[in-house]
């Protein structure tokens, strides 16, 4: 009888030990799987950030390292850095007389104001010919990026519209522009969008210069001024 009890105790202990091992193994697999999912998610986020960073460089914002990455001669890089900000793409274009502009402008540009740029000047954008330059001009004045997407989307697909947005911008009215339209301005991110909205209503451009000048230097302020306007009271 004692032997049977002893065997039962041993059986129970062995069974409990085996179940414990199985549970530990399952937990380890689950943890590994969770880690793999987490790693994959992080990897996808990095890929997304990398893809988002593959747009056309803004010549007014590109670092020296960015410009070197384009294979530009040292003297050209120095000229660009020393003459920024370019208030118009045509100013930059005149300086790059000896460069392979067709290829360069696929990688670097100064965005054009959709409401003021001459129709002929739109053709400096890679892939924009006579017909599309005319369509850009046809729908003026643009009041938002959304309007540009809608009108130009009649002629090209969404990817091409997004590509165009590397090269153009819609100036915004400081007191009424939506957060989306402010963030769509070249080189204006979430933080600066908040600062633009923080000081509303603006009475004049001098107030804009005073308030936004707290966050950026004179050259950047000059660049940002080009992107905004105030309606006449």
């Amino acid at each position: 009888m004692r032997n049977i009890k002893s065997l039962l105790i041993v059986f129970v202990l062995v069974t409990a030990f085996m179940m414990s091992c199985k549970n530990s193994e399952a937990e380890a697999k689950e943890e590994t799987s969770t880690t793999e999912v987490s790693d994959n998610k992080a990897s996808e986020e990095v890929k997304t950030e990398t893809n988002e960073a593959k747009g056309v460089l803004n010549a007014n914002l590109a670092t020296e390292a960015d410009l070197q990455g384009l294979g530009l001669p040292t003297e050209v890089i120095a000229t660009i850095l020393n003459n920024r900000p370019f208030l118009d793409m045509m100013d930059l274009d005149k300086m790059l007389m000896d460069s392979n502009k067709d290829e360069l402008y696929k990688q670097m540009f100064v965005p054009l104001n959709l409401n003021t740029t001459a129709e002929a000047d739109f053709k400096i954008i890679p892939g924009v010919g006579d017909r599309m330059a005319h369509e850009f001009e046809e729908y003026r004045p643009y009041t938002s990026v959304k309007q540009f997407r809608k009108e130009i989307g009649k002629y090209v697909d969404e990817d091409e519209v997004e590509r165009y947005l590397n090269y153009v911008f819609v100036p915004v009215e400081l007191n009424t522009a939506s957060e989306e339209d402010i963030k769509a301005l070249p080189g204006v991110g979430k933080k600066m969008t908040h600062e633009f909205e923080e000081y509303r209503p603006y009475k004049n451009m001098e107030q804009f210069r005073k308030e936004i000048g707290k966050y950026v230097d004179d050259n950047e302020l000059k660049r940002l001024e080009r992107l905004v306007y105030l309606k006449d009271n």
Side-chain angles (χ1 to χ4, degrees), residues 81-193:
L81 295 176
N82 292 334
N83 288 276
R84 299 196 303 194
F86 300 101
L87 301 185
D88 192 292
M89 178 60 196
M90 301 307 141
D91 293 337
L92 175 61
D93 185 66
K94 292 172 185 175
M95 293 174 45
L96 301 173
M97 299 299 295
D98 299 326
S99 301
N100 183 354
K101 295 179 181 179
D102 289 342
E103 288 304 312
L104 179 59
Y105 293 167
K106 292 177 182 178
Q107 304 174 76
M108 181 187 74
F109 208 79
V110 177
L112 300 170
N113 186 327
L114 275 167
N115 286 335
T116 61
T117 299
E119 179 179 326
D121 290 342
F122 282 127
K123 289 186 283 187
I124 198 174
I125 299 172
V128 171
D130 292 340
R131 178 173 176 272
M132 192 52 65
H134 172 71
E135 300 305 339
F136 279 19
E137 193 272 341
E138 178 74 11
Y139 293 100
R140 289 175 172 172
Y142 293 93
T143 58
S144 67
V145 168
K146 183 177 180 180
Q147 180 193 351
F148 176 77
R149 285 195 175 100
K150 175 186 175 182
E151 303 296 359
I152 302 305
K154 298 172 182 176
Y155 307 98
V156 296
D157 62 24
E158 290 182 10
D159 288 343
E160 186 67 350
V161 172
E162 291 303 314
R163 188 183 75 83
Y164 290 152
L165 287 172
N166 285 299
Y167 297 97
V168 298
F169 71 94
V170 177
V172 302
E173 205 286 320
L174 275 170
N175 287 331
T176 59
S178 68
E179 179 181 356
E180 177 187 6
D181 287 329
I182 296 174
K183 286 171 71 174
L185 293 172
V188 176
K190 184 177 180 180
K191 181 179 183 301
M192 189 52 67
T193 297

Side-chain angles (χ1 to χ4, degrees), residues 28-78:
K29 286 182 179 179
E30 183 178 353
E31 183 176 348
T32 300
S33 176
T34 302
T35 301
E36 288 176 351
V37 170
S38 179
D39 289 345
N40 288 337
K41 183 177 180 181
S43 177
E44 288 301 318
E45 289 175 352
V46 169
K47 288 179 181 178
T48 300
E49 290 175 1
T50 301
N51 289 336
E52 289 176 351
K54 286 184 179 178
V56 179
L57 289 174
N58 186 323
N60 279 328
L61 301 173
T63 65
E64 183 174 359
D66 290 333
L67 298 174
Q68 290 171 344
L70 299 180
L72 293 174
T74 303
E75 59 273 15
V76 173
I77 293 175

Side-chain angles (χ1 to χ4, degrees), residues 216-233:
V216 298
D217 61 23
D218 289 344
N219 280 342
E220 177 64 358
L221 183 60
K222 189 184 297 184
R223 188 189 74 83
L224 292 173
E225 276 188 69
R226 171 178 173 261
L227 311 178
V228 300
Y229 67 95
L230 284 170
K231 287 181 180 177
D232 295 331
N233 293 327

